[in-house]
């Protein structure tokens, strides 16, 4: 567990992306946070040490990352994990057997799998609802409900959840409100300011942004929650190594620059795709005809680089994902390089078919993660693949 220092909070977002939680190395003056590649720390005498005993519990590189992301999310405590799902695993460990969770139905496939197939067996119960309407959350509450969990925008349907409205419901009922902010990133959306108690990230995606590590992060501004998460982080030990923390710290420094470019590419390509004869539907919250565009404008500062397109033909979808050359066919998203994927058979294959069908996640849906290459090249690549 790492707590943010007060002096970080006064600076603007881009300044904090570069500096928050980090200072020159005390021993050498190194400007960049060193990779403290160690498992343990020497003690001068019994119980006499510099605050570092064992690297599952404390690591200076990890702490710098935790402080930086906590600052960017407007929280006070950050906790790094070995993956986004390890962060979710720890989140669910805040609960006890018998507790009930209300989750958005259109969440990351692996999150759904962890809930239903792992924690379902261990005594938690889950109700999956369409979070586009906050009333669905209110109606699913039972006496056993302890947590509400959601993503916005969702992967890959680009559904939005009204965080402020759901926050009012959870606050009135004393429920824990957890938001997976992986897609929007704190540059575009800050759930803690809108009523969430806890923000979750797969740092694998935009926060690191270079597709060269796997990681997760939790941020809260609540001291009581921080204490319990800190206990769980150490007790269960799903922590990342210092090298991956350092890569993520390095990636974070350019988060604002990258997000502006992802957003510019996303807006441009989404608008162009709506005019393409082979594309039946474009899912992108920045489009004026997105059913929740007004909400997107209200709670987000930008719309990012994730676009899903409905091609109405599964064979065409397969051809398109196999034909692009700049967009690489791969799982994952949020890197500097553009990726293309087929959610039904890739990222969301573990979501039960009836649930996929109910939310419109068809076999002819293609997902784009627009990178920071020249937009003209991305457009030309999609043009030739669709043609
Ligand atoms: C990838 C992803 C996760 C899982 O994160 P990992 O780092 O792969 O464990 C969770 N939520 C969202 C929205 C994701 O895209």
């Amino acid at each position: 567990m790492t707590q943010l220092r007060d002096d970080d909070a006064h600076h603007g977002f881009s300044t904090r992306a570069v500096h928050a939680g980090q200072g020159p190395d005390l021993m050498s003056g190194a400007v960049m946070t060193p990779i403290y590649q160690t498992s343990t720390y020497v003690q001068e005498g019994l119980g006499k040490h510099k605050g570092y005993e064992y690297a599952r519990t404390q690591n200076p590189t990890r702490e710098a990352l935790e402080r930086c992301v906590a600052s960017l999310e407007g929280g006070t405590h950050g906790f790094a994990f070995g993956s986004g799902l390890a962060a979710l695993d720890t989140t669910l460990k805040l609960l006890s057997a018998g507790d009930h969770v209300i989750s958005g139905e259109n969440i990351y496939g692996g999150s759904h799998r962890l809930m239903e197939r792992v924690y379902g067996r261990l005594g938690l119960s889950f109700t999956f609802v369409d979070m586009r309407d906050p009333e669905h959350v209110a109606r699913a509450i039972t006496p056993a409900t302890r947590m509400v969990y959601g993503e916005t925008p969702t992967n890959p349907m680009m559904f939005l959840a009204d965080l402020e409205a759901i926050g009012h419901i959870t606050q009135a009922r004393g429920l824990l409100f957890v938001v997976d902010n992986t897609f929007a990133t704190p540059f575009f959306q800050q759930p803690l300011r809108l009523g969430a108690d806890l923000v979750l990230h797969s740092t694998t995606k935009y926060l690191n942004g270079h597709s060269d590590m796997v990681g997760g992060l939790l941020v809260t501004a609540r001291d009581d929650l921080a204490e319990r998460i800190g206990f769980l982080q150490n007790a269960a030990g799903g922590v990342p190594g210092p090298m991956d923390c350092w890569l993520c710290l390095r990636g974070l420094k350019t988060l604002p620059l990258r997000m502006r470019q992802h957003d510019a590419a996303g807006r441009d390509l989404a608008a162009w795709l709506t005019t393409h004869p082979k594309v039946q539907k474009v899912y992108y919250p920045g489009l004026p005809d997105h059913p929740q565009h007004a909400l997107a404008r209200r709670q987000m500062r930008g719309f990012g680089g994730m676009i899903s397109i409905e091609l109405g033909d599964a064979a065409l979808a397969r051809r398109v994902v196999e034909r692009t050359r700049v967009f690489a066919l791969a799982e994952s998203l949020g890197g500097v390089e553009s990726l293309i994927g087929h959610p039904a058979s890739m990222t969301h294959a573990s979501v039960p078919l009836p649930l996929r069908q109910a939310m419109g996640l068809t076999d002819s849906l293609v997902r784009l993660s627009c990178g920071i290459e020249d937009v003209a090249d991305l457009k030309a690549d999609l043009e030739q693949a669709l043609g």
Side-chain angles (χ1 to χ4, degrees), residues 10-240:
H10 305 303
H11 289 126
F13 190 95
S14 297
T15 307
R16 284 181 286 128
V18 176
H19 295 293
Q22 305 154 63
D25 180 45
L26 290 178
M27 191 195 80
S28 66
V31 166
M32 289 300 152
T33 306
I35 303 166
Y36 285 90
Q37 193 75 46
T38 187
S39 61
T40 191
Y41 309 86
V42 73
Q43 306 196 0
E44 290 162 44
L46 259 187
K48 242 185 113 195
H49 51 74
K50 298 176 161 57
Y52 296 92
E53 295 154 279
Y54 184 63
R56 173 170 21 79
T57 322
Q58 310 107 343
N59 179 284
T61 317
R62 190 174 90 213
E63 288 170 355
L65 171 65
E66 292 172 330
R67 285 192 296 259
C68 189
V69 180
S71 168
L72 297 181
E73 282 289 0
T76 48
H77 300 80
F79 306 87
F81 294 90
S83 69
L85 288 181
L88 176 59
D89 183 69
T90 293
T91 302
L92 294 170
K93 285 188 180 118
L94 291 166
L95 304 174
S96 303
D99 288 349
H100 174 244
V101 179
I102 299 167
S103 170
E105 63 184 6
N106 177 206
I107 56 171
Y108 178 70
S111 302
H112 188 272
R113 181 177 56 203
L114 179 60
M115 290 179 184
E116 280 280 86
R117 295 185 49 196
V118 179
Y119 281 93
R121 261 197 312 116
L122 297 176
L124 297 186
S125 65
F126 299 89
T127 302
F128 295 92
V129 302
D130 179 347
M131 279 199 176
R132 281 174 294 181
D133 183 354
E135 265 307 299
H136 293 166
V137 174
R139 265 185 255 138
I141 295 172
T142 74
T145 306
R146 296 286 175 271
M147 181 183 287
V148 173
Y149 181 89
E151 296 178 15
T152 181
T154 66
N155 173 13
M157 300 312 300
M158 301 295 162
F159 296 155
L160 266 62
D162 186 333
L163 296 178
E164 213 166 2
I166 296 174
H168 284 141
I169 295 168
T170 55
Q171 271 154 22
R173 304 292 199 104
L175 309 176
L176 205 56
F177 185 21
V178 184
V179 175
D180 179 337
N181 203 30
T182 299
F183 260 45
T185 82
F187 187 63
F188 287 139
Q189 170 177 283
Q190 297 178 344
L192 296 180
R193 300 194 197 284
L194 295 167
D197 300 290
L198 189 60
V199 165
L200 181 147
H201 276 282
S202 168
T203 54
T204 315
K205 315 297 169 47
Y206 286 110
L207 293 195
N208 173 58
H210 294 72
S211 303
D212 51 14
M213 54 74 89
V214 170
L217 223 126
L218 295 176
V219 177
T220 184
R222 275 177 51 177
D223 291 343
D224 60 330
L225 261 186
E227 196 176 322
R228 290 167 63 206
I229 296 168
F231 168 78
L232 289 168
Q233 183 193 38
N234 182 54
V239 295

